[in-house]
Amino acid sequence: MYKRLVFALLFVGLWQCRGPEGLQTNNLSYLYNKQEVGLRPKFSIHPISDTLFEVHYQVQTDNFLFSRPTDESDYEARIKIEYRLLPSIESSTLLDSGWVHINHRVPKVKNEILEGQFNLHMPDDLEKAMLYLKVYDLNRGSSQANFLWINNRNYNSPSYFELLDSTNRLLFKSHIPAGLPFKIRHCLLDNKEIYVSHYRREFPLALPPYSSNQDESFDIKPDTTFLVPTDHLLSFKEPGFYHFRLDTSQWQGFTVQYFYPGFPLVGNHQQMAEPLRYLTTQKEYSEMQSLMNQPEALKKWIDDFWIRKGGSSERAKALVAAYYQRVEEANKHFSSYLEGWKTDRGIVYIIYGPPNAVYRSSSGEAWVYGNENSSLSYYFNFLHLDNPFSDNDYSLERSNQYRYGWGQAIEAWRRGHIYNSKDIRREQDDYDQLQYRSRSPMWY
């Protein structure tokens, strides 16, 4: 059930204060950790004029903590969304700010989707800005922050396009299953038609972090390009990604993907096979690939692989559940013009699990595994790429220094162990204890 909260907001407050210092030091690891309790709202930003933007949000009520003062009272969830607009994540200059309160009362707690919006003022001389959003569950006493970037001067940028369902409700996702009707329109221009280019590519998998090989170049020439009306419902038939543009003289635009039915979930053995490349030898992977057109043989090969690594059927089930849950989470968080599990962030996430710390800056993301104060911590720097097809494209700064740690993690998986950041912390603790014992005794 969906509920609109456009006029039902209690109030929007404005701050007269200085912007926060050092937002790039906010640890955002909870965004990528399914085990973390949180609201996990979705946001979408769209202009309604050159200096005024609408920030749309969507939250699920099953992530709220409901309370009631008496047995006769309604249940109530109290949510606060705090926002601050700054020139960049490193800046402390406050351009606009405020907060939104949501008081949601129900006689019986059930899962609902609440949607609403608020306005954001953008200076007319600013091309880009960063929106800092912090969501509070006031009953639980918890909060989570996130950042969104806004391009204010390019009518071809993704935020200037709206993706709508058949009832003209805003869609907060860019992956559209085959056959699902949708509309796309420009927020400020009244275009009757819009160009769409279809790309169907088999992209290579991400390379290990220590690899010195260069990623293969991407041919940006589309397979097909055609015009579609903006007032008609559209739907996909062929997998790939679809890039919508105002005209074909520039590449910037809005991209919608259709990878396979059921995405981002892993639903069959064909979808289970490819991600195994991160754990298999070349010989094993080639053997498995030869069975891709033989469903029963492929299923047996994959089942036998996990049973061999786990040592028993029960342990194999645990390994499969953990590994493919990470594949699905990578699809949810890191997909761009290709599936999230194939990306640089995806391969690191699948092998190591959720990082202990995630820091964002204007240039990218930094991940930390283990204790940040230890010399044995694993640091991964992902650079944000300027990509006309996606604003979620990041490239890992590779180094041969990752080789040993990566090999340890792969071997742990192949011995039937679900590798994660706790293993890195355990290695750090063992090292610290060894260093302590090796110190010369102090005599007084």
Side-chain angles (χ1 to χ4, degrees):
M1 178 181 179
Y2 295 90
K3 290 194 175 181
R4 296 293 299 171
L5 294 179
V6 180
F7 301 108
L9 302 176
L10 292 187
F11 62 88
V12 175
L14 296 179
W15 286 324
Q16 299 298 327
C17 66
R18 190 163 179 256
E21 296 278 5
L23 286 178
Q24 69 270 27
T25 63
N26 279 251
N27 184 356
L28 304 176
S29 59
Y30 51 79
L31 295 176
Y32 302 151
N33 193 338
K34 189 176 182 180
Q35 305 306 317
E36 292 279 352
V37 176
L39 299 176
R40 303 193 180 281
K42 297 178 181 179
F43 292 98
S44 186
I45 305 175
H46 302 282
I48 55 179
S49 73
D50 287 338
T51 59
L52 190 64
F53 281 70
E54 281 184 341
V55 181
H56 298 258
Y57 60 84
Q58 183 186 85
V59 289
Q60 287 191 297
T61 59
D62 62 352
N63 293 323
F64 300 169
L65 178 62
F66 284 82
S67 64
R68 57 179 179 173
T70 67
D71 291 342
E72 290 75 29
S73 304
D74 285 345
Y75 291 93
E76 182 180 35
R78 299 183 303 125
I79 308 301
K80 177 183 176 182
I81 301 176
E82 178 182 294
Y83 62 91
R84 308 173 191 179
L85 184 68
L86 304 108
S88 71
I89 196 170
E90 294 84 8
S91 174
S92 61
T93 302
L94 197 59
L95 304 174
D96 193 8
S97 63
W99 63 83
V100 176
H101 274 276
I102 306 170
N103 281 21
H104 183 58
R105 297 185 182 92
V106 290
K108 183 179 179 180
V109 177
K110 58 183 177 180
N111 186 27
E112 299 177 275
I113 296 177
L114 306 182
E115 296 180 350
Q117 64 196 57
F118 56 87
N119 289 344
L120 187 70
H121 294 273
M122 177 79 75
D124 57 7
D125 59 345
L126 196 67
E127 290 188 3
K128 292 183 179 180
M130 189 278 299
L131 181 62
Y132 171 76
L133 294 150
K134 194 167 187 178
V135 182
Y136 297 83
D137 184 337
L138 299 177
N139 287 345
R140 183 177 277 122
S142 62
S143 64
Q144 291 183 346
N146 203 348
F147 306 100
L148 297 175
W149 280 265
I150 304 173
N151 190 326
N152 188 37
R153 282 294 170 267
N154 190 343
Y155 275 27
N156 301 300
S157 67
S159 62
Y160 280 75
F161 294 85
E162 283 186 324
L163 193 63
L164 308 170
D165 69 8
S166 58
T167 64
N168 286 328
R169 187 173 61 85
L170 184 68
L171 293 172
F172 288 79
K173 60 182 181 180
S174 60
H175 183 269
I176 305 297
L180 183 70
F182 69 93
K183 291 180 183 178
I184 188 165
R185 69 184 182 196
H186 196 273
C187 297
L188 299 184
L189 303 179
D190 187 24
N191 290 60
K192 301 302 181 184
E193 292 182 316
I194 192 169
Y195 288 93
V196 56
S197 296
H198 177 221
Y199 294 79
R200 186 167 185 175
R201 299 284 195 274
E202 289 296 329
F203 293 102
L205 309 188
L207 299 171
Y210 59 81
S211 175
S212 60
N213 294 333
Q214 297 294 319
D215 293 332
E216 295 183 20
S217 60
F218 169 38
D219 181 8
I220 63 173
K221 183 181 179 181
D223 297 341
T224 57
T225 298
F226 48 94
L227 279 167
V228 295
T230 57
D231 58 348
H232 289 186
L233 287 173
L234 310 173
S235 63
F236 294 146
K237 293 181 180 179
E238 296 294 326
F241 68 91
Y242 296 77
H243 190 56
F244 294 84
R245 294 177 285 168
L246 296 177
D247 62 74
T248 57
S249 65
Q250 47 75 42
W251 287 104
Q252 196 75 22
F254 185 83
T255 302
V256 178
Q257 309 92 9
Y258 165 51
F259 295 123
Y260 58 78
F263 182 88
L265 303 182
V266 177
N268 57 50
H269 283 79
Q270 276 76 18
Q271 293 161 11
M272 293 174 68
E274 273 197 286
L276 273 180
R277 181 64 189 99
Y278 296 151
L279 297 182
T280 55
T281 64
Q282 182 60 57
K283 181 180 178 182
E284 289 171 334
Y285 188 68
S286 297
E287 182 180 331
M288 182 185 65
Q289 286 288 91
S290 69
L291 305 174
M292 290 298 287
N293 294 322
Q294 305 174 50
E296 291 301 319
L298 178 65
K299 177 182 183 302
K300 185 178 186 307
W301 193 98
I302 293 175
D303 292 347
D304 289 346
F305 173 86
W306 286 111
I307 291 172
R308 286 197 308 272
K309 303 311 174 189
S312 69
S313 296
E314 287 304 311
R315 184 58 188 166
K317 290 179 182 178
L319 290 168
V320 167
Y323 191 77
Y324 291 105
Q325 183 184 86
R326 292 185 185 180
V327 172
E328 291 174 354
E329 288 297 298
N331 284 341
K332 292 175 184 177
H333 298 301
F334 312 131
S335 293
S336 54
Y337 57 89
L338 74 166
E339 300 98 312
W341 73 267
K342 293 182 178 181
T343 65
D344 285 353
R345 288 184 297 172
I347 187 176
V348 174
Y349 186 92
I350 291 169
I351 298 303
Y352 285 122
N356 294 110
V358 174
Y359 300 108
R360 283 184 182 165
S361 69
S362 297
S363 59
E365 286 187 358
W367 291 11
V368 184
Y369 287 91
N371 188 331
E372 292 184 66
N373 298 320
S374 171
S375 60
L376 297 182
S377 294
Y378 294 175
Y379 288 83
F380 294 93
N381 289 318
F382 300 93
L383 300 179
H384 183 258
L385 302 181
D386 186 10
N387 186 327
F389 305 111
S390 173
D391 59 1
N392 197 34
D393 191 15
Y394 289 76
S395 177
L396 173 65
E397 289 186 325
R398 287 175 163 76
S399 170
N400 192 54
Q401 294 179 351
Y402 293 127
R403 184 181 293 272
Y404 176 74
W406 189 257
Q408 281 189 311
I410 298 299
E411 284 304 309
W413 276 103
R414 291 178 64 87
R415 291 194 304 268
H417 177 69
I418 301 169
Y419 197 83
N420 56 43
S421 61
K422 292 181 180 178
D423 295 292
I424 299 172
R425 283 184 164 172
R426 192 177 301 114
E427 294 165 9
Q428 292 172 338
D429 292 341
D430 291 344
Y431 178 79
D432 291 341
Q433 287 294 323
L434 181 63
Q435 292 293 96
Y436 178 80
R437 295 193 199 102
S438 65
R439 288 188 301 180
S440 299
M442 299 288 291
W443 296 95
Y444 297 93

